[in-house]
Amino acid sequence: MSASLSVNIDHVATVRQARRAAEPDPVAAAVLCDLAGADGITCHLRGDRRHIQDEDLHRLRRVVTTRLNVEMAATEEMLSIARRVRPDLVTLVPERPGEVTTEGGIDAARHRRTLARHVAALRRSRIASSLFIDPVPAQVDAAADIGVAMIELNTNAYSIATTASEQAEAYDALVAAATRASEAGLAVAAGHGLTVRNVTPIAEIPEVVELNIGHSIIARAVLIGLENAVREIRDAIARAEPIGDHLS
Ligand code: PXP
């Protein structure tokens, strides 16, 4: 079975916020993604509210019937919002003011105790959590220690690689981290910088059960329509053959 697709709709809200207007509405986008076969919706409530707004989260919660994954920083403010909205999953991400996008995985090894407290607080509110981490053994081990059910592996190094050998090295790190995480009992998602052109090999990693993809889908949607953009990336995911099948 191919990995499921959670579409990140942040950049629909980016276009809206460019004019502080009412459209395009990320909630309408979530409905279209659903109709086009997305398995879930992801959005990131940033501290600076540059795209998704608090009210969007409440509206998304009412409309998304698949799986709502909210990315957020591990702060008290975000914890209390998560408790009110009650997404299906909270993915904890690092946030640096002024960054263009999430710049790397959260340092789970360094912030182990704080994150464990945060994850436990979410669990007490019966909200599952995931950690966005770089594909590094120490980060996978820390995530397992912290007690999340899921991790999301940062595919950015793979996505931005400019040579085949750089990309192969980044890919090998993702395969190794996915294997290690799965052996530790963690469910594995992956995302960042994935596109219709580079997603298939990531979907071929057997442990990867979910892909979170945003910018490339919304960027292509401007030109070919949202439903087409979701369908074409779904097709690219479905083309995946489990690693090893190529050899037979
Ligand atoms: N996963 C995480 C944790 C992210 O922060 C982002 C970007 O918001 C994504 C996945 C999606 O990345 P992209 O927009 O490059 O597809």
Side-chain angles (χ1 to χ4, degrees):
M1 212 180 70
S2 54
S4 62
L5 169 67
S6 187
V7 180
N8 182 318
I9 53 165
D10 289 350
H11 298 304
V12 175
T14 302
V15 175
R16 180 191 60 189
Q17 295 309 111
R19 284 292 177 94
R20 308 277 189 276
E23 55 181 19
D25 183 358
V27 180
V31 173
L32 291 177
C33 291
D34 189 27
L35 290 171
D39 304 290
I41 296 295
T42 294
C43 63
H44 184 172
L45 186 70
R46 299 189 64 99
D48 63 10
R49 307 298 196 273
R50 79 166 74 129
H51 38 59
I52 295 293
Q53 307 296 304
D54 300 54
E55 183 54 23
D56 293 330
L57 280 191
H58 292 280
R59 293 170 60 234
L60 284 166
R61 178 62 296 178
R62 289 198 289 276
V63 163
V64 174
T65 53
T66 50
R67 215 164 113 89
L68 179 63
N69 170 26
V70 179
E71 298 170 359
M72 47 175 53
T75 63
E76 283 306 312
E77 181 202 12
M78 292 296 157
L79 179 59
S80 86
I81 292 170
R83 285 179 172 136
R84 288 199 295 276
V85 174
R86 309 200 55 77
D88 299 292
L89 183 71
V90 163
T91 300
L92 298 172
V93 298
E95 227 174 79
R96 187 181 67 76
E99 67 186 0
V100 172
T101 181
T102 312
E103 287 173 340
I106 204 161
D107 192 343
R110 181 158 173 215
H111 302 295
R112 196 181 298 237
R113 282 174 55 191
T114 317
L115 290 171
R117 271 203 306 276
H118 206 88
V119 165
L122 285 165
R123 193 184 307 116
R124 278 194 298 280
S125 298
R126 295 186 303 286
I127 300 171
S129 43
S130 174
L131 292 177
F132 180 62
I133 58 169
D134 291 329
V136 171
Q139 297 297 340
V140 174
D141 295 350
D145 232 37
I146 286 166
V148 282
M150 188 173 220
I151 54 162
E152 179 183 339
L153 293 174
N154 180 5
T155 52
N156 190 49
Y158 164 85
S159 300
I160 63 169
T162 51
T163 65
S165 74
E166 226 177 85
Q167 193 173 51
E169 194 181 321
Y171 187 72
D172 289 347
L174 288 163
V175 171
T179 309
R180 194 178 184 97
S182 176
E183 283 169 3
L186 297 165
V188 182
H192 215 284
L194 296 178
T195 70
V196 71
R197 294 199 175 81
N198 69 14
V199 73
T200 308
I202 300 297
E204 289 177 342
I205 302 172
E207 291 82 7
V208 171
V209 295
E210 182 162 290
L211 296 159
N212 290 330
I213 308 177
H215 184 268
S216 71
I217 294 177
I218 305 307
R220 287 180 70 80
V222 171
L223 301 179
I224 65 169
L226 185 53
E227 289 171 87
N228 285 332
V230 171
R231 286 210 182 93
E232 69 172 5
I233 208 141
R234 273 233 64 95
D235 291 347
I237 294 169
R239 276 199 292 279
E241 297 171 32
I243 293 173
D245 281 13
H246 311 278
L247 308 173
S248 55

